[in-house]
Amino acid sequence: MASGDCLTRNSWVCGKYLDEYSEEITTALREHIYLTVVSVAIGLLVAFPMALAARRWRMSASVLLGSTTILYTIPSLAMFAILQPFTGLTDTTVIIGLVLYSLTILVRNILAGLESVPPDVVESAKGMGYGPGRLLFQVELPLALPAIMAGLRIATVSTVALTTVGAVVGSGGLGNLIYAGIDTLFKAQVLVASVLCVALALVADVLLLGVQWLLTPWTRAGGRKRRIVASPAGEVELDEAGAAA
């Protein structure tokens, strides 16, 4: 047996595995990224109106938040098993499950972000003639971005991890390699796929942190006052505590 034949020796660390299985690894990584991005994007689109409804109608808040929490407690294997008779062994099964899991994080953070907007800033904007839509998108959402982005980062990282469970229906991205490697005791495959999952989660978190940094320049103002434009004719100034100056 050649000492350098790590595949034959079934070593955990094996460069030859990367060379011979590069296409399979790339395909699994691409699928993992696709499932994660699509699931989080749809989750965000669904969570946003749910958070607005929870804020608008306080009676519905407990129902909406409670229902998303219940969904999150369902084991992922059970979730995919419930969905499989309706959607089959497809990516759709995994995406629906991942979207449902993301809601408990996204809805709560969007709602928390909107509720953290200083009331005096809202009143100032209303006094300048801002309607509900303009107030939401030009004043409230920018101030709520730190909380929303924090939730988006958590949801994305958890989705990267949960996507691997999709291997039970044949659509788990890197999870397919992990489960196949466990079944065949293929050590290098298990290690590489696991490391790629961790790396993907870290890269996604750093990218979203960078997006947050770009979208929230007032959080980098240091000791200077932060400003939110409230109308073409004037501004509402915020101090470091978020109150109107």
Side-chain angles (χ1 to χ4, degrees):
M1 182 185 299
S3 59
D5 192 355
C6 54
L7 282 178
T8 302
R9 290 185 286 107
N10 194 24
S11 302
W12 283 103
V13 180
C14 183
K16 190 174 182 180
Y17 168 75
L18 296 175
D19 292 334
E20 295 192 5
Y21 291 82
S22 59
E23 184 175 349
E24 183 178 351
I25 295 170
T26 302
T27 300
L29 180 60
R30 187 183 301 116
E31 181 184 24
H32 207 107
I33 295 173
Y34 165 76
L35 292 171
T36 299
V37 171
V38 171
S39 299
V40 174
I42 296 176
L44 189 60
L45 291 176
V46 174
F48 184 66
M50 290 179 67
L52 292 181
R55 186 181 66 155
R56 175 66 178 82
W57 297 287
R58 303 306 301 178
M59 294 291 292
S60 67
S62 58
V63 175
L64 291 172
L65 295 178
S67 61
T68 58
T69 301
I70 291 173
L71 289 172
Y72 198 77
T73 62
I74 301 175
S76 53
L77 290 175
M79 176 72 79
F80 294 144
I82 294 171
L83 294 172
Q84 188 271 328
F86 304 98
T87 55
L89 300 176
T90 63
D91 289 351
T92 303
T93 301
V94 179
I95 290 173
I96 293 175
L98 295 176
V99 168
L100 294 176
Y101 282 130
S102 71
L103 292 180
T104 187
I105 300 171
L106 294 174
V107 173
R108 289 177 183 275
N109 278 71
I110 294 173
L111 181 59
L114 292 174
E115 290 183 336
S116 69
V117 177
D120 51 349
V121 173
V122 175
E123 291 303 317
S124 297
K126 287 181 178 178
M128 293 179 180
Y130 274 49
R134 194 178 177 197
L135 175 65
L136 174 64
F137 288 102
Q138 293 189 14
V139 178
E140 294 179 304
L141 278 181
L143 289 175
L145 267 178
I148 295 174
M149 291 301 298
L152 185 60
R153 289 168 59 196
I154 296 171
T156 301
V157 170
S158 65
T159 299
V160 170
L162 287 171
T163 298
T164 59
V165 187
V168 298
V169 294
S171 297
L174 293 169
N176 293 341
L177 299 183
I178 294 175
Y179 278 73
I182 291 175
D183 287 340
T184 59
L185 300 179
F186 196 168
K187 296 178 181 178
Q189 181 163 294
V190 173
L191 180 62
V192 169
S194 299
V195 169
L196 285 175
C197 278
V198 174
L200 181 58
L202 291 175
V203 169
D205 189 53
V206 171
L207 288 176
L208 288 173
L209 185 60
V211 171
Q212 178 180 339
W213 187 84
L214 290 174
L215 294 178
T216 56
W218 59 88
T219 61
R220 310 191 299 272
R224 295 176 298 172
K225 290 182 178 179
R226 304 184 303 237
R227 297 193 172 194
I228 299 297
V229 176
S231 76
E235 296 178 333
V236 175
E237 287 189 336
L238 298 181
D239 59 22
E240 294 179 20

